[in-house]
Amino acid sequence: MNRSDILTLLFETPTAELRERAQEVLAREKGRHVFTRGLIEFSNVCRRNCLYCGLRAANSHPARYVLSREEILAQAALAAARGADTIVLQSGEYPVSAVWLAEIIERISKDLRLPVTLSVGEHSRADYALWREAGAARYLIKHETADPDLYARLHPGWTLAGRVAHLRTLTELGYETGTGFMIGLPGQRPESHADDILLARELHAAMCGVGPFLPQKDTPLGRYPGGTAELTLRVLSVLRLALPWANLPATTALATADPAKGQTEGLLAGANVLMPSFTPVSVREDYTLYDDKNRVDIAGAIRAIEAAGRSHSLKLPD
Ligand code: 5AD
Ligand code: SF4
């Protein structure tokens, strides 16, 4: 599959045909099961200033928090009890104590016997190695856009090449590495999504999360229009064809762009993963990547999976 094949699929193939092909590949490669990641957003502290993101360091609105080790372990135990297949520990990018995080990883992977996925930004090779040693199996770090000029404009002081180098380091260290990107960023050419897909394929990404850009009012991009659910779903289907092996989530951003059926539509377009939130209610409102963030909970995940006619291992509280 080359760039021009991908462009044809993205912008010419009728939606029904694209979806049917994605569903065929999904059924063959992944079966009917939908995996669930229990998402714990353990801190919103961030040193970066990504132009699109409400957690950017320059934004003084959110009250900054870091959950305690005990709070994180309690949420992880809750996610395990509800049938989550893996725990995702997510935060802004901040100088987290590597040893503190390693201990938490060890407790979750040894005591709860759940694989741990990290989504905590760029760190040193030594820290990545320590967390791998502690039991972290997967690492998510999105390339966000494969257009190097746009990447540089959105992330002042950082480069796409640097980001890709981190992805490669993580793979070298034995992580299952996940990337991802946004749809409809201000200044993004729709054709550049072909490059996003090719980059994910070249990295042989084990996971790829794709969601619409959604404006957050306290950021420099707060007045731009968001990306559409429609294009996001087409990109998701093409990803399923181009990366048949990959775990593809129906993202929270997709659920926010289309609150009624975003998750179900994502599953029907080729996704096989959902990420219900296990972030404590007391801090959720401060994890404001974008406005009107839709919180996907267990009940919502079960409804979405069943509406898509698929299976899961989730359990509601008695
Ligand atoms: N719209 C959509 N997604 C966003 N993210 C951050 N800000 C936004 C936004 N305004 C996503 C990015 C990042 C993850 C933490 O959240 O893809 O990787
Ligand atoms: Fe920080 Fe991530 Fe938001 Fe960038 S996208 S400002 S690194 S939390």
Side-chain angles (χ1 to χ4, degrees), residues 52-53 142 144 182 212-214 289-290:
Y52 44 81
C53 178
K142 300 183 178 183
E144 309 294 3
M182 281 178 276
F213 158 71
L214 298 167
L289 299 169
Y290 40 79

Coordinates of all heavy atoms in Angstrom, one line a residue, residues 52-53 142 144 182 212-214 289-290, ligand 1:
Y52 N -2.3 23.3 21.2 CA -3.7 22.9 21.2 C -4.2 22.4 22.5 O -5.4 22.3 22.7 CB -3.8 21.7 20.2 CG -2.7 20.6 20.3 CD1 -2.7 19.7 21.3 CD2 -1.6 20.7 19.4 CE1 -1.7 18.8 21.4 CE2 -0.6 19.8 19.6 CZ -0.6 18.8 20.6 OH 0.4 17.9 20.7
C53 N -3.3 22.3 23.5 CA -3.7 21.5 24.7 C -4.0 22.3 25.9 O -3.1 23.2 26.3 CB -2.6 20.5 25.0 SG -2.9 19.5 26.5
K142 N 2.3 9.8 21.0 CA 1.8 10.1 19.7 C 2.7 11.0 18.9 O 3.3 12.0 19.5 CB 0.4 10.7 19.8 CG -0.6 9.8 20.5 CD -2.0 10.5 20.5 CE -3.0 9.5 21.2 NZ -4.3 10.1 21.1
E144 N 1.4 12.9 16.7 CA 0.5 14.1 16.6 C 0.2 14.6 15.1 O -0.9 14.8 14.7 CB 0.9 15.3 17.5 CG 1.1 14.9 18.9 CD 0.0 14.4 19.7 OE1 -1.1 14.3 19.2 OE2 0.2 14.1 20.9
M182 N -3.7 13.7 15.4 CA -5.0 14.4 15.4 C -5.5 14.7 14.0 O -4.7 14.8 13.1 CB -4.9 15.6 16.2 CG -4.9 15.4 17.7 SD -4.7 16.9 18.7 CE -2.9 17.0 18.7
P212 N -10.2 13.6 16.6 CA -10.3 14.9 16.0 C -9.6 15.9 17.0 O -9.6 15.8 18.2 CB -11.8 15.2 16.0 CG -12.4 14.3 17.0 CD -11.5 13.1 17.1
F213 N -9.0 17.0 16.4 CA -8.6 18.1 17.2 C -9.8 18.8 17.7 O -10.8 18.9 17.0 CB -7.8 19.1 16.3 CG -7.8 20.5 16.8 CD1 -7.1 20.9 18.0 CD2 -8.6 21.5 16.2 CE1 -7.2 22.1 18.5 CE2 -8.7 22.8 16.7 CZ -7.9 23.1 17.9
L214 N -9.8 19.1 19.0 CA -11.0 19.8 19.6 C -10.5 21.1 20.3 O -9.5 21.0 21.1 CB -11.7 18.9 20.6 CG -12.2 17.6 20.0 CD1 -12.6 16.6 21.1 CD2 -13.5 17.9 19.2
L289 N -7.8 18.5 28.5 CA -7.0 18.6 27.2 C -7.8 19.5 26.2 O -7.2 20.3 25.5 CB -6.9 17.2 26.6 CG -6.2 16.1 27.4 CD1 -6.3 14.8 26.8 CD2 -4.7 16.5 27.5
Y290 N -9.1 19.3 26.2 CA -10.0 20.1 25.3 C -11.3 20.3 26.0 O -11.6 19.6 27.1 CB -10.1 19.4 24.0 CG -10.3 17.9 24.1 CD1 -11.5 17.3 24.4 CD2 -9.2 17.0 23.9 CE1 -11.7 16.0 24.6 CE2 -9.4 15.6 24.0 CZ -10.6 15.1 24.3 OH -10.7 13.8 24.5
Ligands
5AD1 N1 -7.8 18.1 20.8 C1 -7.7 16.8 20.7 N2 -6.8 16.0 21.2 C2 -5.9 16.7 22.1 N3 -4.9 16.2 22.8 C3 -4.4 17.2 23.5 N4 -5.0 18.4 23.2 C4 -6.0 18.0 22.3 C5 -7.0 18.8 21.7 N5 -7.1 20.1 21.9 C6 -4.5 14.8 22.7 C7 -3.1 14.7 22.0 C8 -2.2 14.2 23.1 C9 -3.1 13.6 24.1 C10 -2.6 13.8 25.5 O1 -4.3 14.3 24.0 O2 -3.2 13.8 21.0 O3 -1.3 13.2 22.6

